[in-house]
Amino acid sequence: MQDILDIRVLAALEPISSFGPARLRELLEYCHLETVAQGLDPFKGRPLHGQSVYLVKGELEVVYADGNHVLIRADSEWARHPIGKRQPEIQAATALTRIQLLRADDDLLDQMVTWDQFAYHEDAKVPAAQEGSEAAVKRLLNSGMFSAENLSNSPFAHLPSANIGKLLNRIEVIAAWDKEIIIREGDEGDYYYLIESGRAQVARLVGGTHMVLAELKAGDVFGEEALISDSKRNATVTMKSNGVLLRLKKQDFLELMQEPLLRKTGYQEAKRKVDGGAVWLDVRHPPEYRYDKLPGAINVPLNDIRNAVGVLSKNTPYVVYCQSGRRSAAAAFILAQAGYKVDVLENGLWSIPKSEQQ
C-alpha cells in the first residue's frame, strides 16, 4: 500500500482516528502489516497479547470462548476496533478470504493516545491570559521530545497519566545557542533539562583540566542528579550547536517525575527481593564498595551509571544503594527512566547493621 493509503487506513481505526496526519505518519513506522492466506488461523502461534490487531483487508471468522461466532469484514464497524479486546477469549479464527492484519504495540499506542488526549484536558491548559497556552501545548506534543520513539524509551514512557497534564502545563521551552553554558559545575541545581534539538557536551574539571564525559543529542536528558541528591552540579553542560531545550523547575521535577519513578524500600523487604532474584547495585566509589559492600553486590559508580544503560540486563531487577540514599536515588532515577526495574534502599547503608555488610 502507498504511504497516503496507509495513513487513511490508520485514520479509520479506533482510537487512532483522533491523531493528526503527522502523528499518523509517525505511528506508521511502528505498525506491522501482515498478509494471511485464505483458510488459515492468523492467531495460531501469533497471540494477541500486548498488541492491538486490526483487520484492514478481507473477511475473518472469529470463534470466542463462549461459543459465539463473529464474521468481521474489513469495512465493518467491528474492524475499526482491535480484535479480541472486549470480547471473551478467542478460541479460533479463520481467514475466509486472503486478509491483511495491522499490528501495533499496545503500550506505545496507549501512551500516544494518552499524551494526545491530555493536550485538550483542563490540566494541560493554563489561563487564557497567558499567551498561546493551547498552541504551546500542541507545539510540545508535536516536538521531537514527545515522538513515538521518545514515548517508548524516555522518562515519559513511565510517567503516571495523572501527571501528564500538569507536566505539559509546567514545562518550559527555551532557545539555546552554540557555546552557551546551560549548567555550570558547582552551581545549585535548579532545572531538569531535555534536549528537543541540538547537541551538548558534558565536562568536569579534573586536575585543572576540563574532561569531556559525554556528548548529548536530541532526546537526551540532563540535570537530574543535583536535583535528586540535593547537591551542587557535578559537571558543566555546554551547547555544541544551536538548539531547543525543555526544562522543568526543581520542585516540579521532584513532584511530577522523580517521585513517581522512585520506589523506596526498607532493608528487610529489599533482602526479600534479592533472595527472589534481584541484584544489589552499589553506586558508591570503588574504594567504598570494597570496604563494606553488601553480599553479592555489583558496583557501578554513580558517575558511570549512564554508561551502564544498555549493559545492565533489563530482565534483572535491581536494588540500588549507597551510604545515605542520596546517590542511589539519583542512579535509580536514571535507570528507571531508561526502563529498568529498580528499587532504592531507603536511607542506604546507614539503615542496616554492620554485621550484614561484607
Side-chain angles (χ1 to χ4, degrees):
M1 290 190 290
Q2 295 179 348
D3 183 56
I4 188 66
L5 182 57
D6 281 350
I7 291 171
R8 288 174 179 172
V9 169
L10 284 178
L13 306 177
E14 298 297 342
I16 301 170
S17 65
S18 63
F19 292 175
R23 206 61 152 164
L24 290 172
R25 287 190 177 88
E26 189 180 14
L27 177 61
L28 196 60
E29 298 296 319
Y30 294 85
C31 292
H32 174 66
L33 193 65
E34 65 182 52
T35 301
V36 180
Q38 182 179 3
L40 297 183
D41 184 342
F43 308 130
K44 189 173 183 180
R46 296 291 310 276
L48 295 170
H49 180 70
Q51 295 184 323
S52 290
V53 180
Y54 301 87
L55 178 69
V56 296
K57 183 176 287 187
E59 297 182 358
L60 176 69
E61 183 181 45
V62 179
V63 181
Y64 294 99
D66 60 0
N68 196 20
H69 290 237
V70 174
L71 172 62
I72 304 177
R73 293 187 175 89
D75 58 355
S76 68
E77 179 64 24
W78 276 78
R80 297 184 64 218
H81 301 271
I83 298 170
K85 288 296 185 187
R86 291 286 179 264
Q87 301 80 17
E89 185 177 349
I90 293 176
Q91 281 195 334
T94 305
L96 301 181
T97 65
R98 182 174 175 270
I99 66 172
Q100 282 188 327
L101 297 175
L102 186 144
R103 293 177 181 261
D105 180 78
D106 270 344
D107 282 342
L108 174 61
L109 184 56
D110 188 63
Q111 287 164 4
M112 293 177 74
V113 171
T114 300
W115 280 88
D116 272 38
Q117 277 196 293
F118 262 97
Y120 304 98
H121 193 276
E122 286 303 312
D123 285 348
K125 296 179 181 178
V126 295
Q130 296 186 27
E131 182 181 353
S133 60
E134 189 168 332
V137 168
K138 288 181 179 178
R139 182 188 183 283
L140 277 175
L141 287 172
N142 289 328
S143 74
M145 284 310 306
F146 299 98
S147 66
E149 180 179 2
N150 273 342
L151 288 180
S152 298
N153 302 307
S154 77
F156 305 123
H158 313 286
L159 195 67
S161 58
N163 289 13
I164 293 174
K166 294 176 182 177
L167 177 71
L168 290 172
N169 189 356
R170 300 181 196 179
I171 205 164
E172 301 175 45
V173 182
I174 61 170
W177 310 107
D178 186 24
K179 298 183 176 59
E180 181 181 355
I181 295 176
I182 307 301
I183 282 177
R184 192 182 301 274
E185 185 175 357
D187 284 355
E188 296 291 338
D190 50 1
Y191 287 98
Y192 171 68
Y193 291 90
L194 308 95
I195 302 178
E196 180 182 320
S197 63
R199 296 177 294 107
Q201 186 179 80
V202 184
R204 181 177 297 150
L205 193 61
V206 179
T209 302
H210 280 92
M211 178 181 294
V212 175
L213 303 179
E215 300 285 342
L216 305 178
K217 62 185 184 308
D220 288 337
V221 300
F222 61 92
E224 69 271 36
E225 293 178 29
L227 306 187
I228 295 172
S229 59
D230 200 24
S231 57
K232 295 185 183 297
R233 300 292 193 187
N234 62 6
T236 296
V237 177
T238 306
M239 294 299 296
K240 303 303 290 182
S241 71
N242 294 340
V244 176
L245 304 179
L246 308 183
R247 70 180 187 182
L248 200 59
K249 290 179 181 177
K250 178 179 180 178
Q251 190 54 46
D252 293 331
F253 165 78
L254 295 176
E255 174 193 344
L256 301 177
M257 297 193 69
Q258 182 234 331
E259 187 174 325
L261 283 180
L262 282 189
R263 294 198 309 263
K264 294 185 178 181
T265 185
Y267 178 61
Q268 293 304 322
E269 177 61 23
K271 275 185 65 176
R272 283 192 286 272
K273 288 178 180 289
V274 171
D275 290 341
V279 172
W280 291 115
L281 179 58
D282 189 320
V283 296
R284 299 175 299 163
H285 293 299
E288 295 177 282
Y289 165 75
R290 290 192 293 268
Y291 177 68
D292 59 357
K293 65 180 181 291
L294 292 176
I298 61 174
N299 181 220
V300 181
L302 174 59
N303 55 299
D304 288 332
I305 203 71
R306 291 185 192 276
N307 297 327
V309 172
V311 177
L312 293 172
S313 172
K314 287 191 176 181
N315 295 322
T316 301
Y318 297 93
V319 180
V320 187
Y321 72 89
C322 63
Q323 206 67 30
S324 66
R326 287 192 180 92
R327 284 177 285 176
S328 53
F333 180 82
I334 292 170
L335 293 175
Q337 69 181 356
Y340 285 86
K341 293 170 283 189
V342 184
D343 287 271
V344 179
L345 178 62
E346 193 165 16
N347 297 321
L349 293 180
W350 289 348
S351 68
I352 64 176
K354 282 285 185 183
S355 59
E356 299 274 354
Q357 302 169 38
Q358 287 184 340

